[in-house]
Amino acid sequence: MIQTKELSFECETGNYHTFCPISCVSWLYQKIQDSFFLVIGTKTCGYFLQNAMGVMIFAEPRYAMAELEEGDISAQLNDYEELKRLCLDIKKNRNPSVIFWIGTCTTEIIKMDLEGIAPKLENIINIPIVVARANGLDYAFTQGEDTVLSALAHKCPKGSGHVSTPPLIIFGSLPESTANQLTIELEKQGIQVNGWLPSQKYIDLPEIPENAYVVGVNPFLSRTATTLMRRRKAKLISAPFPIGPEGTRLWIEKICSVYNIKPTGLKEREQKIWSSLKEYLDLVKGKSVFFMGDNLLEISIARFLATCGMNVYEIGIPYMDKRYQSAELSLLKETCIREKTVMPKIVEKPDNYNQINRIYDLAPDLVITGMAHANPLEAHNINTKWSVEFTFAQIHGFSNAGEILKLVSKPLKRNLIYT
């Protein structure tokens, strides 16, 4: 490869292979504990949810399918009456604090007026309804969460009165233990976190007054960031995401800077984490990795692996919002120069056929890919790791940096055993 000092960007027109964004229901219904998710779609959507979540719908979790039939699609049935009947059943049997209507490809195609129906039904059932069109027309399955949080941001209270210090709201769904760790790290620096979006309970949604500070924890939440800035008049803190020790330190430092607080002990904390990862670092240093693109976490994970001394040949990504990820892209470039590793090529909407040919040419030590391509690549003696595993692993914050390296090193260790 020809080494350069600048990131290169390309855009192909290949099909992006990823899960459907309605899969966000699988983690959001567990995060928002007083919620109920109603997915409005076809039998195919129901089969996908059943397989993706590993929970049978008739086991009565806090989500359900409103299955569209021929009468719905041909407008022979009344959408309002059908949804009213379902929502009254949900209220009677589950009595949630909020009902999420998750639109699908079909509701988009038949132009179902969910936003028009929802306010009328809210007045009847006295339960707020949040409409989120988390359909398969998006680029990546993680954008389903982005759509839901963007819709949820409109429901956050505005707050009352003038406050001397703007509140801080963190947006992004993380396991409660990880969210608590990040909150504690900020509190150690004297910064109060006024709320998370989403909160554990809908009734505890944070107040977002004008000029509140908001900061994201995941790179796939650009739509939510835009809604918070444009609709709620909040100020976005642009920082690298808290993935890996360096990313976490810089995330906290940037938040401290907007509150004019000088952070203390962060570099020492980061160094301590790096020291604890020595076993993994010795294994991955000098190895090469290729991202095929799947979940929009690619830039952040690639930056962390470059910090670990890995050569990142290519970063495929289904969709790139350069403004929202500007701090992350700058850090990736700085990291590659500092560590003297390969400056990666970033390919938006990659063509999988072309990627396979590039993988054969470059022969990377590891390919991080969607599930569809893993087994065929393994058959050609190419080490792979499912990208979806990074989505569901706890990878944020100082103490979870080892989780990323565990995932990356497992196939590399397997290769060492057999060679």
Side-chain angles (χ1 to χ4, degrees):
M1 288 188 70
I2 300 172
Q3 177 64 303
T4 64
K5 290 189 177 182
E6 295 292 334
L7 293 170
S8 64
F9 295 88
E10 292 183 13
C11 184
E12 296 180 339
T13 55
N15 296 320
Y16 24 89
H17 296 255
T18 181
F19 287 121
C20 177
I22 65 171
S23 58
C24 69
V25 173
S26 65
W27 63 88
L28 288 176
Y29 92 90
Q30 297 179 67
K31 177 69 179 180
I32 309 170
Q33 296 173 359
D34 57 351
S35 65
F36 193 96
F37 283 77
L38 184 65
V39 182
I40 305 165
T42 61
K43 271 189 171 66
T44 306
C45 307
Y47 294 146
F48 170 72
L49 282 177
Q50 207 162 283
N51 287 313
M53 298 196 199
V55 178
M56 302 299 275
I57 287 176
F58 54 71
E60 293 194 354
R62 283 183 292 102
Y63 63 87
M65 273 296 305
E67 197 173 283
L68 295 168
E69 297 177 326
E70 273 191 40
D72 300 292
I73 295 170
S74 61
Q76 292 173 358
L77 295 175
N78 187 303
D79 296 336
Y80 172 81
E81 292 298 331
E82 293 294 308
L83 288 168
K84 178 183 173 182
R85 177 178 59 81
L86 289 169
C87 288
L88 286 171
D89 283 346
I90 292 167
K91 180 180 181 179
K92 179 183 176 182
N93 297 326
R94 311 308 289 268
N95 196 29
S97 298
V98 62
I99 297 174
F100 288 89
W101 285 356
I102 304 298
T104 61
C105 302
T106 310
T107 61
E108 290 292 296
I109 292 165
I110 67 174
K111 300 291 186 275
M112 203 174 210
D113 185 21
L114 298 178
E115 286 85 357
I117 298 171
K120 298 173 186 175
L121 278 186
E122 280 182 332
N123 295 329
I124 293 173
I125 64 174
N126 293 317
I127 295 176
I129 297 172
V130 178
V131 178
R133 295 183 177 272
N135 55 70
L137 304 178
D138 267 331
Y139 295 99
F141 73 96
T142 47
Q143 287 181 290
E145 177 184 325
D146 192 20
T147 304
V148 172
L149 296 192
S150 177
L152 196 56
H154 290 284
K155 299 285 187 178
C156 291
K158 291 184 178 179
S160 56
H162 176 74
V163 289
S164 55
T165 304
L168 174 66
I169 311 299
I170 303 174
F171 60 93
S173 175
L174 295 181
E176 202 57 28
S177 59
T178 306
N180 287 337
Q181 287 173 21
L182 292 175
T183 300
I184 290 167
E185 293 291 349
L186 289 167
E187 287 175 347
K188 285 179 182 176
Q189 304 299 330
I191 294 173
Q192 180 186 356
V193 177
N194 297 84
W196 282 75
L197 180 69
S199 52
Q200 270 195 296
K201 293 194 173 182
Y202 177 81
I203 57 175
D204 296 329
L205 278 178
E207 292 184 352
I208 308 179
E210 284 192 17
N211 297 319
Y213 285 118
V214 294
V215 63
V217 293
N218 274 319
F220 49 76
L221 300 173
S222 58
R223 189 177 293 144
T224 305
T226 302
T227 298
L228 290 168
M229 287 189 292
R230 291 182 180 174
R231 303 294 183 186
R232 304 310 303 266
K233 309 301 181 188
K235 296 178 181 176
L236 178 68
I237 300 173
S238 180
F241 299 100
I243 295 173
E246 186 180 29
T248 304
R249 173 179 63 81
L250 291 170
W251 184 78
I252 296 171
E253 285 180 351
K254 187 60 185 286
I255 295 171
C256 288
S257 70
V258 301
Y259 284 99
N260 296 316
I261 293 174
K262 187 176 180 181
T264 56
L266 287 178
K267 290 188 177 178
E268 293 81 2
R269 180 79 197 282
E270 180 192 355
Q271 195 53 50
K272 188 177 178 181
I273 297 296
W274 283 121
S275 299
S276 70
L277 300 174
K278 187 176 185 306
E279 178 188 346
Y280 294 114
L281 295 175
D282 291 342
L283 175 65
V284 303
K285 189 175 178 63
K287 297 288 194 299
S288 55
V289 61
F290 188 109
F291 289 81
M292 289 194 74
D294 181 46
N295 57 15
L296 303 189
L297 289 167
E298 288 83 10
I299 301 293
S300 300
I301 295 172
R303 179 261 303 159
F304 169 64
L305 295 181
T307 311
C308 296
M310 292 190 78
N311 289 303
V312 183
Y313 287 159
E314 179 173 313
I315 306 172
I317 187 167
Y319 168 74
M320 166 64 72
D321 188 319
K322 288 185 182 178
R323 291 179 301 172
Y324 182 58
Q325 295 211 49
S326 59
E328 195 67 81
L329 289 168
S330 297
L331 181 57
L332 172 62
K333 176 184 170 183
E334 293 167 15
T335 300
C336 291
I337 293 172
R338 183 185 69 232
E339 300 295 331
K340 296 181 172 60
T341 58
V342 170
M343 191 70 70
K345 176 171 70 172
I346 298 172
V347 182
E348 188 177 6
K349 289 186 283 190
D351 183 299
N352 292 146
Y353 179 80
N354 293 339
Q355 277 189 318
I356 296 295
N357 289 330
R358 292 196 290 268
I359 288 169
Y360 289 156
D361 292 339
L362 295 167
D365 295 300
L366 178 67
V367 176
I368 297 176
T369 176
M371 295 170 71
H373 303 102
N375 284 347
L377 288 170
E378 289 281 353
H380 285 268
N381 296 316
I382 297 168
N383 292 320
T384 64
K385 194 63 184 171
W386 291 349
S387 50
V388 72
E389 293 187 64
F390 295 91
T391 311
F392 294 108
Q394 296 188 32
I395 62 174
H396 296 76
F398 284 120
S399 57
N400 288 325
E403 293 301 313
I404 306 173
L405 288 175
K406 279 180 188 175
L407 292 171
V408 168
S409 61
K410 194 172 181 180
L412 297 177
K413 284 180 178 177
R414 184 177 66 233
N415 191 45
L416 289 173
I417 291 171
Y418 290 117
T419 57

